[in-house]
Amino acid sequence: LVRRAYRASSLAGVDYFEIGYRVGPSCPDYHKVGPWARCDDERVSSVVEGVISGARPTIMVDYGRAAKEDFIPRQSSPVAAVRVATYRKTLGPAIELAEHISSLGYEVFLNLMAISHYSPSQLEEAKTLVRSSSVRNLYFADSFGSLFPEHVRRIISALREIQGVRVGFHAHNNMQMAFANCLTAAEHGASYVDASIY
């Protein structure tokens, strides 16, 4: 199923295909989660090898559930891009992890989760941290599906003030606003918007 979805996405012109998570062996949950939550290089290879290519194979890492040693240099891995997801309280160390993964040759996206819980001053603090880092792709996630288009517009405007950073948006559909919010994000300068299959 995943191989067919990857092939169809590639044929459809999708830029990135996020296959699953990478939970590292040092994480206490490692043996409690399934293979799509561990998504090691062998698992990713089983999806993309021999299948029509196009979409960049991507995995997600929740900060604290994988470590630097869970990544090998990009030239030896089937993974092309990594999304590092973090809550506000772990933003500093998550940026360090993102920078390390980037130094190995991967395209990296830093994903600010639960953006609706950021106060204006906390958003400014986050911008300062990102501004002083080498992060160039900055996502924000409507983790609780509680944003309206006006909120999305304001957040994108604020994040686009960081020089040289491309902004992405990850919607949730709790209030049936995901499509409207994605359109708003695209209209107001987001470089990336996410979709899901089914």
Side-chain angles (χ1 to χ4, degrees):
L1 175 64
V2 179
R3 282 168 61 84
R4 291 198 305 270
Y6 174 72
R7 182 179 190 278
S9 297
S10 293
L11 288 169
V14 170
D15 297 309
Y16 298 85
F17 186 89
E18 192 169 89
I19 293 170
Y21 286 86
R22 178 160 295 175
V23 173
S26 60
C27 178
D29 294 339
Y30 182 75
H31 294 290
K32 299 176 185 175
V33 298
W36 301 106
R38 292 193 294 265
C39 252
D40 56 23
D41 286 332
E42 185 178 350
R43 172 66 51 178
V44 176
S45 290
S46 76
V47 172
V48 302
E49 281 183 1
V51 180
I52 189 167
S53 62
R56 294 169 64 81
T58 305
I59 58 171
M60 183 170 175
V61 174
D62 279 336
Y63 177 76
R65 303 189 79 197
K68 292 177 179 179
E69 55 269 18
D70 295 322
F71 294 89
I72 61 174
R74 163 67 183 101
Q75 65 264 24
S76 302
S77 173
V79 175
V82 179
R83 186 201 309 251
V84 177
T86 180
Y87 290 106
R88 185 179 56 80
K89 64 184 179 182
T90 55
L91 181 55
I95 287 173
E96 290 178 17
L97 177 62
E99 289 178 322
H100 171 75
I101 295 170
S102 178
S103 75
L104 295 174
Y106 297 90
E107 186 173 7
V108 177
F109 299 85
L110 182 68
N111 190 57
L112 305 178
M113 295 193 290
I115 197 77
S116 58
H117 283 193
Y118 279 63
S119 69
S121 63
Q122 289 167 342
L123 188 59
E124 287 303 315
E125 289 171 14
K127 286 167 57 180
T128 299
L129 283 173
V130 171
R131 195 176 278 119
S132 63
S133 75
S134 62
V135 169
R136 288 297 161 257
N137 298 304
L138 181 62
Y139 254 84
F140 68 99
D142 183 11
S143 302
F144 303 106
S146 60
L147 298 182
F148 286 96
E150 176 58 23
H151 302 130
V152 172
R153 184 193 63 75
R154 283 202 310 265
I155 294 166
I156 286 180
S157 295
L159 296 180
R160 288 188 69 211
E161 292 172 358
I162 307 170
Q163 199 78 17
V165 166
R166 293 178 293 275
V167 177
F169 174 58
H170 181 92
H172 284 201
N173 203 34
N174 303 52
M175 298 192 303
Q176 304 302 307
M177 295 302 298
F179 187 62
N181 285 339
C182 282
L183 289 177
T184 300
E187 288 169 3
H188 291 279
S191 298
Y192 312 99
V193 292
D194 287 354
S196 61
I197 296 174
Y198 300 125

